[in-house]
Amino acid sequence: MAETIFQKIIDKEIPTEIVYEDDLCIAFKDINPAAPIHLIVIPKKPIESVDDVAEEDEAIVGHLFFAMGKIAKQQGIDRGYRVVTNNGRDAGQEVMHLHFHMLAGRGFSWPPG
Ligand code: AMP
């Protein structure tokens, strides 16, 4: 897998506003926010997309959701936020490192655009 901008964030090679980090994942502010609060949550393991999650990654992906719950409380958005993942280019995935967007601070329509 080619090195992505998110790998540089994991390796602390570029300045990023990190809001949460542990052994398995890291969360940071999106550089181009689509909502007043827009965080990106990624595994430290370089998994490209949902399609590339292997059976051995189940614990890592579960941990991402556990971490998102903690981050939501820490950020004071636990009353409501949206979690989005774009899987594959046709869905708008630009960075080929599995990630979840956490969006909050405004209303959200359904179905999503
Ligand atoms: P996606 O389109 O789902 O692949 O989302 C990639 C997200 O990463 C976009 O919302 C970008 O604004 C965000 N992004 C790209 N580069 C950076 C960066 N250096 N720091 C923070 N967020 C970034």
Side-chain angles (χ1 to χ4, degrees):
M1 165 173 166
E3 192 186 52
T4 67
I5 192 84
F6 288 177
Q7 188 60 52
K8 292 186 194 303
I9 290 173
I10 292 166
D11 294 339
K12 311 279 168 49
E13 288 175 2
I14 55 172
T16 313
E17 282 196 73
I18 293 168
V19 299
Y20 177 86
E21 180 169 11
D22 63 29
D23 288 349
L24 295 177
C25 70
I26 187 163
F28 51 89
K29 293 187 181 178
D30 195 293
I31 203 168
N32 185 21
I37 295 173
H38 185 170
L39 307 174
I40 300 287
V41 185
I42 65 174
K44 287 186 172 173
K45 180 176 177 181
I47 301 165
E48 278 194 31
S49 70
V50 173
D51 286 342
D52 299 293
V53 174
E55 197 169 355
E56 68 192 32
D57 300 326
E58 284 180 354
I60 293 174
V61 175
H63 182 79
L64 291 177
F65 282 87
F66 171 67
M68 282 193 274
K70 286 210 298 195
I71 293 164
K73 289 188 188 73
Q74 174 206 88
Q75 295 286 316
I77 58 169
D78 46 320
R79 284 189 58 216
Y81 57 97
R82 183 163 284 184
V83 176
V84 175
T85 189
N86 298 317
N87 183 64
R89 303 250 177 235
D90 283 3
Q93 183 176 3
E94 290 174 357
V95 181
M96 300 309 286
H97 183 126
L98 178 69
H99 55 280
F100 294 99
H101 299 254
M102 291 179 72
L103 301 146
R106 65 168 170 82
F108 296 100
S109 59
W110 193 263

